[in-house]
Amino acid sequence: MELIGSSYKGDTKNGRMEGKGEYTFPTETTYVGETKDGMFYGKGVLHFPNGSKYEAIWENGIAKQGSFVFADGLQYQEKDWDYCDGCDRCFYSELCNGLRPAGESHITDLHPPRVIPDGCYDCGDGFYDPSTRVVTAYTGSFLRNAGKMNTNLHFK
């Protein structure tokens, strides 16, 4: 785990995750829940750095049944999903709290909005700088290199 930047705190058996514990991925996503034979097994929750989470029942490391909740509390629904469709593109907070006064840009669900460095893009977990092709976390630490863009794409 140290080789790839992961860590585990919790119960073990024969050197493997077994019982209750917390597994942290190199991306700072954490799994909190039950494990068996070194894998996620039983009830467990993936907590993502942006505040969203995925609660599931796991078998041999595979989610068998679960639900996803966005950081703002919106729960994803596979059927009858009426949020952010082609006719309604508002933020979830606007559905809950109403619209803010006219004249104020609303390019993010945060209020006040995060300051985006010049020439960069907010990509949900940090800022992407196209000149360096690097994604930097909101805290300033390195997250990842972005792949080279395919400039041979043609659109009709």
Side-chain angles (χ1 to χ4, degrees):
M1 281 187 251
E2 294 83 20
L3 181 65
I4 61 170
S6 296
S7 63
Y8 176 72
K9 291 183 254 176
D11 301 333
T12 59
K13 181 178 177 182
N14 298 324
R16 298 174 69 103
M17 299 184 301
E18 183 89 26
K20 294 187 182 213
E22 181 176 314
Y23 182 90
T24 303
F25 293 87
T27 60
E28 298 180 20
T29 296
T30 59
Y31 170 85
V32 178
E34 301 169 356
T35 60
K36 181 178 177 183
D37 198 26
M39 294 180 274
F40 304 162
Y41 201 100
K43 292 181 181 180
V45 182
L46 281 173
H47 297 273
F48 298 95
N50 68 358
S52 58
K53 64 181 179 177
Y54 182 69
E55 297 183 47
I57 303 295
W58 303 81
E59 284 183 25
N60 300 320
I62 298 170
K64 294 297 184 175
Q65 180 182 4
S67 63
F68 184 83
V69 178
F70 293 90
D72 60 8
L74 174 66
Q75 183 155 356
Y76 175 73
Q77 298 171 330
E78 288 189 43
K79 296 180 181 181
D80 301 322
W81 180 255
D82 61 357
Y83 170 70
C84 201
D85 62 16
C87 299
D88 183 3
R89 302 291 306 224
C90 64
F91 290 102
Y92 181 61
S93 64
E94 292 174 322
L95 294 176
C96 296
N97 306 318
L99 297 174
R100 289 202 299 267
E104 188 176 326
S105 292
H106 199 148
I107 59 172
T108 177
D109 202 25
L110 297 176
H111 185 72
R114 179 180 287 122
V115 176
I116 301 172
D118 288 340
C120 294
Y121 301 91
D122 188 339
C123 57
D125 59 350
F127 300 116
Y128 170 65
D129 185 339
S131 64
T132 60
R133 294 199 314 253
V134 169
V135 178
T136 306
Y138 298 130
T139 59
S141 61
F142 173 83
L143 277 182
R144 64 185 171 278
N145 289 313
K148 186 175 181 180
M149 287 183 55
N150 182 354
T151 56
N152 297 322
L153 295 176
H154 300 282
F155 299 97
K156 293 183 179 185

